[in-house]
Amino acid sequence: KDLLQCYSDYVTDFPHSIEMINQWSKQSHKFRKFLKKQLSELNCSNVGLATYLLAPLQRIPKYVLLLKQLLKYTTEDNPDYYYMQTAVQGLNEFINNMNTAIQEAFKVLNSSTQSPPKKIESSGSHEFSSNSSIDLHKLSHSSTALSTSSHKDSGIHSTVLSIDDLEVDLELLPDDDSDPNTGYQYIDANAQYMTNNLTAEPHMNIPYNHFGGGDPVHEARTEMKPSTTPRKIVTKKPSFGIYGNNDPVNHARYEPTRAGQMPSRVEQFTQRKKQEQLELQQLELSRHGSSPILDAAALERQRLCRTPIPMGSTSSLNYDPALLQRSSTPLDGFIKPQVITSVWEDDVENTKKNKSRIQRSKQKNYEVGEKSAKKPSLKNSLRTMFFKK
Amino acid sequence: MAARSPFARCKIVVVGDQFCGKTLLLNSFVNKGKGHEFAIFESCVVDFDLGSSTITLSLHDISGQEDYESMRNLTYADADAFVVCYDVSKRETLKNAEFKWLPEIRSKCGEDIPFILVGCKADLRQILHNNDLHKKALDLVSIKEVERLAARFGAYAFFECSAKYGRNVRQVFEASTKAWLDTREDLYAYFTEGLYC
């Protein structure tokens, strides 16, 4: 049990440690160099520190699996059977506790990352994040990806900020803020609030300006923020099933509206729907009527972006109008996937034939690709390859 | 020439129900067909060659964490592509893939995260048909169902594979890397040049 306690300490401090790494890697050049050097010495520069930090956590459920397998192959007469059972039970309980602990820790952390300054910190480290740290909000590596995936949320609510805002805020950021001590105070201040808020029922309306307490620097920044950018609270997306408990529509329904505050989620919801409809109309117009002026990059993006298919009530919520604007996805609803079916044959000869066929088709594709286009899509080659089979 | 760039790292997370063959799939891929029946897979890094260029894949498994959401969230961070697994002989697993795993992936990693659908234990299909086990054969997942699901969610590809016999295992990871490459315009050009030169 001492061993498990050691683990629990590790778990509780895990998010903080990642936060620290992010901060310092952003702050000091030396630390970054040091990390890179160490990782390259280990010959694993592609993995990153975060995976190593995660490994001990991921190992515990594997212990459980191992023990269960062992249990399968031991008879009940075995004297060790009882001990193994108790071990499995204990480990399961421990994992349950750990699960909740991680959840709470990350919620606290998220609450801090939710506010603009923290968000910026995470985005500021994203050049480095590809190498060594978990970026919780994972603003991905390239700027094009940033525009399409900036609203990834890791659980609760998250603020949606456009790229321009981030840049503006980065300029406004004073250097003092990156002091780890202030960061921790900030986290603690939020922790209390969040724990209160988490226990509350989902239809509690969240006050808009709840991050401002006790941090004058931050308050100043919120005032400095351009008022043209509305801060949206993205409603919690359904994490399991469509009609699960987290159905955002129901959430919206039960929420009371309050005057003089941020527009409640009902209003947000309706507004967003209206916006969507407008954009849909615009898109259709642009498609059918006047010829849309799209550069090559936009066309590429159109090809790449897969539209989520409308499904029931949640489909409208999954759309973000801001995203639509940026990526300008075609709203056909259906995009056919690359149909790759495996022919299941037990004969060895048949598979050999297939292999040779695939190779032949590959060669053909290469030839075609060289002749016809400079940039033949892998998709098409794959498709042809597997259809010929 | 093995073209290789330092930033070409693809993190693939294999996701699916318990006992649907995720770990075996990974094991048989990493150990080159020698899939031993051992339910543990350490997340590891593999150099994977796509024709003339190689990409480093970091493979991650969520075995044992199926019931623990926050643990899974940790592995999801920074993921580039997903392999969503289901068991061919159990229809439940496909339903779970539809209503649990795919929405979860989408909510955590963005709407247009590339993923592929993989039906594991495809050898069971043959066995059940051969032995005329009709009761069990009713529970088999038909290809049309999967096709529909893939169309609905915009999957890059779907497969059926058997880790036991090493069938289609390589293709699974090939397709997942290509799905990832398709979303990266900068790398896309780089690697296709490598492929077609």
Side-chain angles (χ1 to χ4, degrees):
Chain A
K1 290 211 167 178
D2 297 335
L3 193 142
L4 289 182
Q5 215 173 27
C6 154
Y7 266 116
S8 66
D9 287 345
Y10 186 81
V11 167
T12 46
D13 287 341
F14 183 72
H16 284 301
S17 62
I18 282 175
E19 184 79 346
M20 281 292 279
I21 288 168
N22 272 341
Q23 273 186 5
W24 282 105
S25 62
K26 192 206 149 203
Q27 255 182 56
S28 69
H29 197 66
K30 278 185 183 175
F31 184 71
R32 233 174 296 165
K33 267 192 178 176
F34 171 73
L35 267 182
K36 268 190 185 174
K37 201 182 172 188
Q38 293 298 319
L39 285 173
S40 61
E41 273 179 14
L42 282 167
N43 208 357
C44 49
S45 55
N46 285 316
V47 190
L49 218 167
T51 48
Y52 287 108
L53 287 175
L54 268 176
L57 291 187
Q58 289 172 337
R59 195 159 294 168
I60 300 170
K62 277 166 192 168
Y63 289 144
V64 176
L65 281 180
L66 250 182
L67 278 172
K68 275 182 183 170
Q69 264 197 334
L70 259 177
L71 265 178
K72 249 191 208 171
Y73 295 113
T74 46
T75 52
E76 290 189 27
D77 309 332
N78 202 307
D80 290 335
Y81 189 83
Y82 170 74
Y83 293 108
M84 268 151 63
Q85 251 185 346
T86 48
V88 168
Q89 280 176 1
L91 275 173
N92 268 331
E93 277 177 23
F94 175 71
I95 292 175
N96 270 325
N97 291 333
M98 197 169 74
N99 190 41
T100 50
I102 293 173
Q103 251 177 4
E104 277 166 19
F106 267 89
K107 270 168 186 171
V108 168
L109 219 160
N110 277 335
S111 72
S112 59
T113 45
Q114 218 173 26
S115 59
K118 288 281 170 175
K119 181 92 180 174
I120 287 152
E121 272 175 25
S122 65
S123 72
S125 64
H126 91 267
E127 321 150 20
F128 187 63
S129 71
S130 59
N131 219 356
S132 84
S133 56
I134 289 190
D135 220 350
L136 292 175
H137 288 262
K138 205 221 165 193
L139 302 171
S140 16
H141 320 275
S142 61
S143 60
T144 52
L146 221 174
S147 66
T148 53
S149 64
S150 63
H151 84 299
K152 285 169 189 174
D153 55 344
S154 42
I156 339 167
H157 321 287
S158 71
T159 52
V160 176
L161 294 170
S162 66
I163 309 164
D164 299 337
D165 302 335
L166 287 177
E167 282 166 2
V168 167
D169 281 2
L170 273 172
E171 285 166 13
L172 295 175
L173 245 183
D175 292 326
D176 308 348
D177 190 62
S178 42
D179 194 307
N181 289 325
T182 56
Y184 271 123
Q185 280 172 7
Y186 190 57
I187 286 169
D188 291 336
N190 269 327
Q192 266 200 335
Y193 174 77
M194 282 310 288
T195 43
N196 291 335
N197 197 33
L198 286 172
T199 50
E201 285 167 23
H203 57 72
M204 278 275 290
N205 208 346
I206 296 169
Y208 175 45
N209 207 1
H210 61 280
F211 295 116
D215 196 351
V217 183
H218 169 243
E219 275 178 10
R221 202 167 300 116
T222 46
E223 282 166 20
M224 282 155 82
K225 249 196 98 186
S227 60
T228 51
T229 57
R231 208 158 66 135
K232 288 175 199 163
I233 293 177
V234 175
T235 47
K236 196 172 179 180
K237 282 176 185 170
S239 57
F240 48 89
I242 295 168
Y243 305 108
N245 292 331
N246 304 332
D247 199 350
V249 181
N250 288 332
H251 270 225
R253 220 172 271 154
Y254 293 131
E255 261 162 29
T257 53
R258 282 192 201 177
Q261 277 189 346
M262 175 110 165
S264 71
R265 283 193 211 151
V266 182
E267 284 166 330
Q268 276 184 25
F269 184 68
T270 48
Q271 276 179 7
R272 213 184 293 168
K273 269 207 157 180
K274 277 178 191 172
Q275 271 188 343
E276 275 174 28
Q277 281 177 355
L278 271 174
E279 273 158 30
L280 269 168
Q281 286 171 0
Q282 282 176 1
L283 266 174
E284 279 176 12
L285 272 175
S286 69
R287 218 185 290 152
H288 297 301
S290 58
S291 58
I293 304 159
L294 294 167
D295 49 342
L299 277 170
E300 266 288 301
R301 227 169 286 140
Q302 265 197 9
R303 189 177 65 77
L304 295 174
C305 285
R306 292 182 188 79
T307 53
I309 286 79
M311 267 181 59
S313 57
T314 51
S315 63
S316 57
L317 269 170
N318 286 341
Y319 273 112
D320 201 22
L323 272 180
L324 272 176
Q325 273 183 356
R326 280 182 219 130
S327 58
S328 69
T329 49
L331 288 165
D332 294 334
F334 264 60
I335 286 185
K336 281 189 180 175
Q338 272 49 60
V339 179
I340 301 174
T341 51
S342 69
V343 181
W344 191 259
E345 285 148 313
D346 232 350
D347 306 353
V348 184
E349 292 178 5
N350 276 331
T351 50
K352 275 182 183 174
K353 278 180 193 171
N354 276 332
K355 272 182 186 174
S356 59
R357 257 184 235 162
I358 288 167
Q359 281 176 354
R360 256 178 261 148
S361 62
K362 261 186 184 174
Q363 285 169 359
K364 275 180 194 171
N365 273 325
Y366 285 4
E367 287 163 14
V368 170
E370 279 171 4
K371 283 172 191 170
S372 62
K374 286 175 188 173
K375 214 175 170 186
S377 64
L378 283 168
K379 274 188 191 174
N380 285 334
S381 63
L382 258 180
R383 186 191 276 165
T384 48
M385 175 173 131
F386 279 91
F387 270 134
K388 271 174 189 172
K389 190 165 83 176
Chain B
M1 276 294 287
R4 206 173 149 190
S5 61
F7 43 80
R9 178 184 66 96
C10 181
K11 179 175 173 179
I12 296 173
V13 183
V14 180
V15 145
D17 267 16
Q18 211 156 14
F19 306 120
C20 77
K22 304 183 293 291
T23 315
L24 268 180
L25 174 68
L26 279 164
N27 265 333
S28 69
F29 175 65
V30 174
N31 300 329
K32 300 275 158 63
K34 294 169 200 164
H36 50 83
E37 294 201 12
F38 196 60
I40 271 78
F41 177 78
E42 284 282 319
S43 55
C44 71
V45 182
V46 180
D47 278 352
F48 185 59
D49 57 330
L50 277 170
S52 55
S53 57
T54 60
I55 291 179
T56 50
L57 303 180
S58 63
L59 304 168
H60 292 257
D61 189 12
I62 59 146
S63 64
Q65 305 166 22
E66 282 90 348
D67 303 331
Y68 308 110
E69 200 184 335
S70 60
M71 299 268 297
R72 273 184 270 129
N73 291 346
L74 291 174
T75 42
Y76 286 166
D78 247 7
D80 293 312
F82 281 92
V83 177
V84 181
C85 289
Y86 64 90
D87 191 341
V88 168
S89 61
K90 286 175 192 162
R91 186 157 277 168
E92 268 187 38
T93 54
L94 187 70
K95 271 187 184 172
N96 271 332
E98 186 180 352
F99 291 115
K100 183 184 175 188
W101 297 112
L102 290 177
E104 188 178 291
I105 286 168
R106 286 220 162 149
S107 64
K108 299 281 153 55
C109 298
E111 288 295 323
D112 35 332
I113 186 90
F115 70 93
I116 61 170
L117 276 170
V118 173
C120 296
K121 305 183 189 173
D123 48 324
L124 279 181
R125 172 166 291 179
Q126 193 77 13
I127 289 166
L128 289 180
H129 276 297
N130 283 350
N131 298 345
D132 288 332
L133 295 167
H134 288 300
K135 272 189 183 176
K136 281 195 173 178
L138 279 177
D139 210 26
L140 282 172
V141 178
S142 67
I143 287 177
K144 273 194 178 178
E145 263 177 294
V146 187
E147 199 178 327
R148 242 173 274 149
L149 202 148
R152 215 137 55 87
F153 280 86
Y156 184 83
F158 57 90
F159 280 98
E160 280 189 359
C161 72
S162 158
K164 199 174 175 183
Y165 299 104
R167 295 266 168 79
N168 260 346
V169 170
R170 206 194 123 86
Q171 278 92 322
V172 167
F173 293 96
E174 213 173 281
S176 52
T177 46
K178 277 172 182 171
W180 170 69
L181 274 177
D182 254 21
T183 56
R184 296 287 300 272
E185 288 171 37
D186 45 345
L187 291 181
Y188 185 84
Y190 180 83
F191 279 100
T192 44
E193 271 172 31
L195 273 177
Y196 292 100
C197 274

